[in-house]
Amino acid sequence: MPIVRHFDDTASIELDEMIAFIEDNAVDPRNEDDMLAAAPLLKRLGNNRSFIADMALKELKARNNLDAIDHNYTPQTIMLTPANKRWFMRCNFWPSASDHIFRSSGAKAFFYFEPHDHNFNFLTVGYKGPGYKSDYYEYDYDDVLGYPGEAVPLRFVESSALEEGKVMLYRAFRDVHDQRPGDAMSMSINIMENSLRGNFMDQYGFDTKTMTVSGILNRIGATALLPILAVAGEDDGNTLDFLTETARGHVSGRVRTVALNALAGVQPDALGAIAVHQGGLTNDDPQVRGFCRERLARLEALVA
Ligand SMILES: [Fe+2]
C-alpha cells in the first residue's frame, strides 16, 4: 500500500516554490524518505487552485508545445517540468466512466483495470475531484522472475480513492494497484522518479484473478530493434550471431527473451521456432526459461 500522508494545511504555494524545494534539498526520488520530506509542500501545491489552468492556458495561447514529442505520455498528462533531471513533475487527468473521453477512448487509454506495479517511485496528491479508485496490493519484486503466467502472491491491502488533498507515495517494485474510474473527472499532481531503473528494470502487469504476471509494461529501446534486426539484417551470419549471443548472455533477461523471440520469428516454420525456444530452456536466466516454457506450451499446441 502506498504510504499515505494527510495534512490539514490550507496554505498554498506556486510551482516554482515546489521546484526550489526539490532542488535546494537535493531530493533523490529513489529515496522514500526524501520523497516523503516533499509531501507537505506537494499538499500546499495541491491547494493552489489556479496554477494548472494558468499553465494550460498559457501553453494553448502560445501554441508552441501542442505537438511536443519529448515525453512518453498521452494527452491525459500535462508535463509541469521537463523530464531532463532525475525527477520531473506532471499533472494527470482521470476521467470517470460517464465522461465522453472515457467512452470514446476506452479504459485502457487511462490504465484502468490494468493491475500494475511501478518501476519508479512517485509522490502524488489528489488535486481535483473525488479521485481515481484503486484496489491496492503489495508484492516482492525480488521474488518475481517476470514471465507471463508466473504465479505471484499479491497481498491485497485495501480499496480507496485518491481524493483531493490526499498525498501518497507509491513505492517502486512494491505497490501494485488496479485502477478504476472515480465518480467524476479527477486530477492528480505527481513528483516522478526519472532514473535508469525506470527504463531498464521491469514494470509488470498482473492478473489479480489468477495472481500471475500478465506481461511487462515498460519499453526498452533494444527490444524494439532486435526483431527489426532479425528481419532486416544482412544474411551474412553477423546478425544471427549477434542475436544468438544476445539471447544467451545479455545482462537483462528480458532483452534475452526478446532476442530469442526475434530468432524464433524468422524461422521458416513453427517447428523451427519451437527449436529456438527449446534452446532457451537451458539459459542460465530463470526469466528466460520461464518465458520459453510459456511460448513452447502455446507453439506446441499449434502444431499438435
Ligand atoms: Fe499506476
Side-chain angles (χ1 to χ4, degrees):
M1 174 71 198
I3 298 169
V4 179
R5 290 283 188 267
H6 291 287
F7 303 100
D8 293 329
D9 195 353
T10 56
S12 72
I13 60 167
E14 297 296 331
L15 178 61
D16 55 5
E17 294 174 86
M18 183 77 250
I19 293 169
F21 177 89
I22 296 170
E23 293 188 334
D24 293 348
N25 292 280
V27 169
D28 181 348
R30 295 169 301 179
N31 182 302
E32 293 175 9
D33 291 335
D34 275 21
M35 288 289 253
L36 288 171
L41 265 280
L42 188 61
K43 160 67 177 167
R44 285 188 172 187
L45 183 64
N47 290 340
N48 183 331
R49 296 288 83 194
S50 60
F51 84 103
I52 298 284
D54 291 346
M55 279 187 76
L57 186 61
K58 192 173 160 195
E59 194 155 306
L60 286 165
K61 279 185 173 175
R63 298 185 180 191
N64 62 2
N65 202 27
L66 296 177
D67 56 353
I69 55 169
D70 57 352
H71 63 79
N72 287 328
Y73 293 108
T74 64
Q76 179 193 18
T77 295
I78 294 177
M79 296 294 281
L80 301 178
T81 69
N84 57 6
K85 297 177 181 168
R86 61 183 178 175
W87 59 272
F88 65 91
M89 293 188 65
R90 69 181 191 184
C91 168
N92 272 4
F93 292 82
W94 302 103
S96 71
S98 57
D99 282 307
H100 175 74
I101 193 168
F102 176 88
R103 286 182 278 121
S104 59
S105 303
K108 210 174 173 68
F110 303 98
F111 255 69
Y112 292 141
F113 310 112
E114 302 274 340
H116 59 274
D117 74 341
H118 310 87
N119 51 1
F120 48 84
N121 289 327
F122 69 100
L123 189 69
T124 187
V125 62
Y127 183 68
K128 191 169 175 54
Y132 64 78
K133 298 174 184 174
S134 290
D135 293 337
Y136 288 102
Y137 301 82
E138 291 185 15
Y139 87 113
D140 298 306
Y141 184 88
D142 290 343
D143 293 344
V144 174
L145 301 175
Y147 58 88
E150 179 183 359
V152 179
L154 297 171
R155 301 180 293 276
F156 177 75
V157 182
E158 70 168 41
S159 296
S160 56
L162 180 63
E163 65 258 24
E164 263 182 45
K166 182 178 182 180
V167 180
M168 300 177 89
L169 174 65
Y170 281 75
R171 299 163 299 174
F173 310 113
R174 173 107 41 102
D175 295 317
V176 171
H177 67 156
D178 184 4
Q179 281 175 282
R180 54 186 191 280
D183 295 330
M185 175 70 85
S186 300
M187 295 165 68
S188 63
I189 301 170
N190 299 336
I191 301 173
M192 309 289 293
E193 172 185 334
N194 187 32
S195 68
L196 268 183
R197 64 182 187 168
N199 293 327
F200 194 65
M201 295 177 73
D202 296 334
Q203 180 182 19
Y204 297 123
F206 298 99
D207 182 330
T208 54
K209 290 187 183 67
T210 57
M211 292 292 182
T212 55
V213 172
S214 59
I216 298 175
L217 304 182
N218 59 318
R219 293 182 295 238
I220 295 179
T223 61
L225 287 176
L226 292 171
I228 295 171
L229 181 65
V231 172
E234 290 288 324
D235 192 15
D236 58 3
N238 267 345
T239 299
L240 287 183
D241 285 351
F242 176 79
L243 289 171
T244 303
E245 181 52 27
T246 301
R248 186 199 64 77
H250 194 277
V251 67
S252 162
R254 179 176 167 197
V255 173
R256 293 186 194 190
T257 64
V258 174
L260 262 178
N261 221 21
L263 282 168
V266 292
Q267 301 305 309
D269 54 29
L271 290 176
I274 286 172
V276 170
H277 287 299
Q278 280 173 336
L281 294 177
T282 59
N283 197 283
D284 61 15
D285 187 315
Q287 182 180 15
V288 178
R289 299 198 297 271
F291 174 83
C292 288
R293 279 196 299 274
E294 195 261 349
R295 294 294 294 184
L296 281 169
R298 286 202 276 160
L299 285 167
E300 286 170 350
L302 285 178
V303 299

